[in-house]
Amino acid sequence: MASRKVFKLGEGVLRKKSKPVVDFDENLWQLLDDMKETMYKNDGMGLAAPQVGVLRRIVVMDVNNQYYELINPEIISQEGEDIDTEGCLSVGKFKDKVRRPYKVTVRAVDRYNYPIEITGEKYFARCTCHELDHLDGILFVDKSEHGKEFLNKREGK
Ligand code: ZN
């Protein structure tokens, strides 16, 4: 395993749409292991492949001391509403409140292309939504309460 560089806000790769994983081979497993190490090393709750510069639909998360690997994930149902604070390894120190569903069910496959379906509440739902947004080039500051001000300030507007 090796920790990889985390790309930061302003780098183009974070704004692109990721493609589905088609090859479930050693390259994928290496990437997953590296993403896991990178997430833990940076004290993250989740990490999406574009954050390490790979435009594939892959997410790793650690919520309530449970480690998850989600490949080609899709939210198939969501319920309720929850507003809480988020941060992101690609954004840095800025943290802000984001409205998310309270409960989601996500369908994905694991590293062996075996189908999985997980339903979770609160932080699981929040983290899943945050990480899946990365796969479509969306960052939490695009949706957060003071995100616009933050982005404008960064760009000197
Ligand atoms: Zn993030």
Side-chain angles (χ1 to χ4, degrees):
M1 288 208 287
S3 179
R4 299 202 186 190
K5 175 198 161 182
V6 177
F7 286 71
K8 303 284 187 204
L9 183 62
E11 292 186 277
V13 71
L14 292 173
R15 292 309 200 170
K16 293 193 173 129
K17 206 171 153 74
S18 292
K19 293 198 171 86
V21 171
V22 286
D23 296 318
F24 292 80
D25 58 11
E26 278 168 23
N27 290 329
L28 173 68
W29 303 334
Q30 181 68 60
L31 174 61
L32 284 161
D33 292 343
D34 289 355
M35 285 174 64
K36 182 181 184 182
E37 185 171 323
T38 307
M39 173 178 75
Y40 284 127
K41 194 186 149 199
N42 292 284
D43 291 321
M45 226 176 136
L47 190 73
Q51 293 182 276
V52 293
V54 178
L55 288 169
R56 290 288 173 182
R57 305 190 79 80
I58 304 167
V59 161
V60 298
M61 312 193 305
D62 186 305
V63 185
N64 303 325
N65 295 315
Q66 169 81 47
Y67 174 68
Y68 300 94
E69 290 179 350
L70 303 173
I71 298 161
N72 301 337
E74 269 180 276
I75 291 171
I76 56 166
S77 75
Q78 59 180 64
E79 238 179 83
E81 195 180 278
D82 182 63
I83 298 172
D84 209 337
T85 304
E86 286 181 28
C88 179
L89 294 180
S90 293
V91 171
K93 285 199 179 83
F94 181 73
K95 290 184 173 36
D96 200 7
K97 287 201 159 66
V98 189
R99 186 187 303 266
R100 300 285 190 188
Y102 181 73
K103 182 176 173 181
V104 300
T105 298
V106 62
R107 188 177 282 166
V109 293
D110 70 7
R111 59 165 65 202
Y112 308 106
N113 201 13
Y114 186 83
I116 44 177
E117 203 175 288
I118 305 163
T119 300
E121 295 176 353
K122 186 70 186 169
Y123 293 115
F124 178 86
R126 177 164 300 281
C127 196
T128 301
C129 291
H130 176 118
E131 298 311 328
L132 265 64
D133 274 352
H134 275 298
L135 305 180
D136 293 317
I138 299 164
L139 301 172
F140 85 93
V141 288
D142 300 336
K143 307 182 157 181
S144 77
E145 201 176 5
H146 303 288
K148 213 168 232 132
E149 292 105 289
F150 170 76
L151 288 168
N152 285 343
K153 219 177 185 176
R154 271 193 93 251
E155 286 162 20
K157 279 180 197 163

